[in-house]
Amino acid sequence: MADACEHPESKARLEWAERWLSPSRLSSYLDLCGGNVDRALELHEWNLMLGRALMGDIAHFELALRNAYDRALTERFEGNKHWLFDASSPVTRPIMRKSKAKKLRDVNMVNRRAIDDARGRAHDPANPNQVIAGLMLGFWAHMTDRSRERDLWIPYLHAAWPAGTDRAKLNLQLDAINKLRNRVAHSERLFNPGSDGCSPARVDAEMLALFRTLSPQAYECLYGNKSKTTVERFLDDRPSPIDVKL
């Protein structure tokens, strides 16, 4: 980093870049770019552009997922109110499971809080469509957790997917999509993924395949017969300024 600071212009650029991104965030890019501020900023911008490309796919998929789950629940739940608001709904009623520490916990408590928050933000909190639109991707992704298999997956959500869909495998894929979405939303580094399963190239390919399963007509309308994923096309159009893994 000392070489990058020898010239006054480089030193000034480093100072405003640290104020903008924070020293800790910028340092992770500087380390990969040999202390070169210009290359570090170029890599940071490239990472943001990759995130923007991914957010399009994530938005398409999230819409398909939440509407498929809403249909599956609406068509099968026999409560007196909409499944979001009925106390007997498998999404809101207490479901007690043992934690890793062998303590009982209500796995639906987080759902009730998410629904309450979404209702608080909605213009009409009694309108399920408005509440559904305000629920985050994580709300839908966690519906396939093992703790909800008996109460939610088997009676309801399996119907949104082809017969024989492996819930556990699907849950891992949805969890990875949600993690990637959160990394993009918080402008975190997307390349050189660690062991958390957030490889953007792999997750994007799996996400597009799931989107095609949920909504084949929408997939064909948006992606047609493209042979490459969004990440692959992004790399063709805008190669990384340094050698990174996706």
Side-chain angles (χ1 to χ4, degrees):
M1 189 182 298
D3 292 341
C5 299
E6 287 180 356
H7 298 92
E9 290 183 1
S10 296
K11 184 177 181 180
R13 190 175 295 110
L14 176 63
E15 289 176 350
W16 67 251
E18 285 184 335
R19 289 196 300 271
W20 171 39
L21 299 175
S22 82
S24 60
R25 180 181 293 271
L26 180 61
S27 67
S28 65
Y29 289 89
L30 285 170
D31 290 344
L32 291 167
C33 296
N36 187 300
V37 182
D38 290 329
R39 292 188 69 196
L41 292 173
E42 184 182 2
L43 180 60
H44 183 268
E45 186 67 11
W46 177 87
N47 186 73
L48 291 180
M49 293 301 103
L50 173 59
R52 290 180 188 177
L54 283 166
M55 279 305 289
D57 287 352
I58 293 169
H60 294 153
F61 173 73
E62 182 175 358
L63 285 167
L65 181 68
R66 77 188 190 195
N67 289 324
Y69 280 7
D70 177 41
R71 283 192 301 273
L73 283 157
T74 299
E75 291 168 1
R76 289 161 181 80
F77 178 61
E78 298 179 349
N80 296 322
K81 301 178 182 178
H82 189 277
W83 60 266
L84 273 173
F85 309 138
D86 197 303
S88 66
S89 166
V91 179
T92 59
R93 70 173 180 249
I95 296 179
M96 308 306 295
R97 296 287 186 268
K98 283 188 177 181
S99 67
K100 292 182 179 179
K102 305 300 181 183
K103 294 183 179 180
L104 281 177
R105 62 186 182 93
D106 178 6
V107 297
N108 271 348
M109 181 180 292
V110 65
N111 283 0
R112 294 192 295 275
R113 289 175 177 170
I115 293 168
D116 287 344
D117 289 345
R119 294 187 76 174
R121 294 189 298 269
H123 177 69
D124 180 2
N127 185 328
N129 292 326
Q130 290 190 20
V131 178
I132 286 171
L135 292 167
M136 302 298 182
L137 177 58
F139 176 89
W140 308 102
H142 292 306
M143 281 191 173
T144 50
D145 288 348
R146 184 177 64 176
S147 62
R148 298 179 175 89
E149 181 173 24
R150 185 178 63 203
D151 298 87
L152 195 53
W153 173 258
I154 294 175
Y156 304 98
L157 297 186
H158 77 279
W161 300 96
T165 295
D166 185 329
R167 179 208 56 78
K169 178 182 177 181
L170 174 64
N171 188 60
L172 290 174
Q173 292 174 319
L174 295 178
D175 183 60
I177 294 169
N178 187 49
K179 286 180 178 177
L180 180 63
R181 180 263 172 209
N182 290 339
R183 293 187 70 84
V184 173
H186 293 285
S187 302
E188 295 183 25
R189 194 179 75 184
L190 303 174
F191 53 88
N192 296 351
S195 59
D196 61 356
C198 278
S199 159
R202 179 184 61 78
V203 174
D204 188 47
E206 292 180 353
M207 177 169 52
L208 289 175
L210 292 175
F211 176 45
R212 189 172 193 172
T213 298
L214 286 173
S215 190
Q217 294 86 358
Y219 178 90
E220 291 302 322
C221 176
L222 293 165
Y223 299 97
N225 296 317
K226 292 183 176 68
S227 60
K228 293 186 176 182
T229 67
T230 300
V231 169
E232 290 170 337
R233 296 197 306 276
F234 175 85
L235 291 175
D236 288 344
D237 295 338
R238 189 163 182 164
S240 169
I242 67 169
D243 185 26
V244 298
K245 295 179 180 179
L246 291 179

